[in-house]
Amino acid sequence: MVKISFQPAVAGVKGDKADKAAEERPPQPRYKKGGSVGSVCYLSMGMVVLLTGLVFASVYIYRYFFLAQLARDNFFHCGVFYEDPLSAQMPARMELEEDVKIYLEENYERINVPVPQFGGGDPADIIHDFQRGLTAYHDISLDKCYVIELNTTIVLPPRNFWELLMNVKRGTYLPQTYIIQEEMVVTEHVNDKEALGSFIYHLCSGKDTYRLRRRATQRRITKRGAKNCSAIRHFENTFVVETRICGVV
Ligand SMILES: *[C@@H]1O[C@H](CO)[C@@H](O)[C@H](O)[C@H]1NC(C)=O
Ligand SMILES: *[C@@H]1O[C@H](CO)[C@@H](O)[C@H](O)[C@H]1NC(C)=O
């Protein structure tokens, strides 16, 4: 009875349901269709957002590491071309390369001059300690250390040298330049190297170390080998310096 009375109801419900389903079903594919288009839209928008995020992230990461690296090691490998009046060939276009490390906080510069390709002086390690006001040359081929007062008219301070090198870092070569010569004379043996400051101490420890004095009467450019002198060519400014270190005569 209940069943019977229920049946039509069920049928009615079924019919209703079927109707509803029929009503509901047609939109379903439409909905689904629209959904697939929509999801493609959402997907591509998501991709765009993701890609934009990725691009921004990589820009940030790149800049972060680039700047961090700049701040961490102020290391430069740089070179310069210069006219050399001492050379046999004319005109003599010489090339000098060196590694420069600039320590802005500690206020000193460290320069390594490798073995020159065309016989332009000795390889050397050089420290310009602006805190102590001292320059030290380690002549690598003689394995001797020479110390003299820092000449601030020749050597750019760390910040200025850093700016100069930053401006040419892309090209790595400084503009064509000239060479000046300075002559030093050995004055005395240095026993207390710790008094030279820790940077020069580390450079010169275990090496014969001498004090230098600038030779005042230096007018003409002297040919190499003319005296018992060694020469180191380097630059810490817009020009090249040949430092001649001569024994006591
Ligand atoms: C520094 O170098 C310049 C150029 O060679 C020279 O004229 C000057 O006398 C030097 N100054 C000192 C204190 O050695
Ligand atoms: C000068 O010559 C002597 C030997 O002849 C050598 O021991 C010394 O290192 C030389 N000095 C320089 C500055 O080259």
Side-chain angles (χ1 to χ4, degrees):
M1 178 66 179
V2 173
K3 257 187 184 175
I4 289 160
S5 69
F6 203 76
Q7 209 79 1
V10 167
V13 167
K14 237 188 181 175
D16 256 8
K17 254 193 180 170
D19 276 358
K20 264 187 189 167
E23 266 174 39
E24 270 174 330
R25 217 170 273 147
Q28 233 175 4
R30 243 191 285 145
Y31 176 74
K32 237 189 177 175
K33 221 182 184 179
S36 68
V37 171
S39 63
V40 165
C41 266
Y42 281 128
L43 200 69
S44 29
M45 266 174 68
M47 286 294 274
V48 167
V49 169
L50 195 74
L51 283 179
T52 316
L54 269 177
V55 167
F56 273 103
S58 23
V59 167
Y60 265 97
I61 287 170
Y62 173 77
R63 284 189 51 181
Y64 174 78
F65 280 107
F66 185 67
L67 292 178
Q69 193 176 342
L70 274 189
R72 209 167 28 233
D73 51 15
N74 295 310
F75 178 84
F76 303 87
H77 177 82
C78 40
V80 66
F81 288 108
Y82 61 99
E83 292 292 334
D84 183 10
L86 313 174
S87 171
Q89 308 109 291
M90 291 294 247
R93 191 163 178 258
M94 298 285 282
E95 183 184 345
L96 178 65
E97 288 193 5
E98 63 182 31
D99 290 322
V100 180
K101 264 189 174 171
I102 298 179
Y103 300 84
L104 292 172
E105 271 178 33
E106 295 88 348
N107 209 16
Y108 78 100
E109 301 160 8
R110 190 184 171 117
I111 295 164
N112 172 258
V113 185
V115 181
Q117 280 172 301
F118 305 105
D122 288 345
D125 282 313
I126 305 167
I127 284 182
H128 298 294
D129 186 341
F130 277 74
Q131 225 168 324
R132 293 273 172 164
L134 288 174
T135 290
Y137 303 94
H138 172 222
D139 187 314
I140 293 171
S141 46
L142 296 176
D143 198 26
K144 281 179 183 164
C145 232
Y146 303 97
V147 182
I148 191 166
E149 277 75 42
L150 179 65
N151 187 338
T152 48
T153 61
I154 288 180
V155 183
L156 280 180
R159 171 60 65 179
N160 303 53
F161 195 26
W162 185 82
E163 277 167 9
L164 174 72
L165 295 180
M166 281 306 289
N167 286 332
V168 294
K169 183 150 191 176
R170 254 163 249 255
T172 71
Y173 268 79
L174 277 77
Q176 166 101 24
T177 188
Y178 57 94
I179 184 169
I180 69 161
Q181 204 178 37
E182 57 179 10
E183 196 166 303
M184 313 298 193
V185 190
V186 172
T187 56
E188 58 178 355
H189 192 265
V190 176
N191 294 314
D192 183 15
K193 286 177 214 159
E194 287 186 42
L196 304 172
S198 60
F199 309 129
I200 293 178
Y201 174 77
H202 281 295
L203 179 73
C204 294
S205 75
K207 290 142 199 154
D208 268 345
T209 303
Y210 301 91
R211 278 260 175 196
L212 296 179
R213 175 174 54 79
R214 191 184 177 80
R215 186 168 275 171
T217 55
Q218 173 66 27
R219 292 227 171 72
R220 286 189 309 114
I221 280 198
T222 319
K223 280 218 186 289
R224 270 169 22 93
K227 290 183 202 160
N228 182 21
C229 303
S230 57
I232 298 166
R233 289 185 181 190
H234 51 99
F235 61 92
E236 42 283 290
N237 208 323
T238 53
F239 50 86
V240 175
V241 178
E242 181 179 87
T243 302
R244 292 166 57 78
I245 298 167
C246 306
V248 203
V249 257

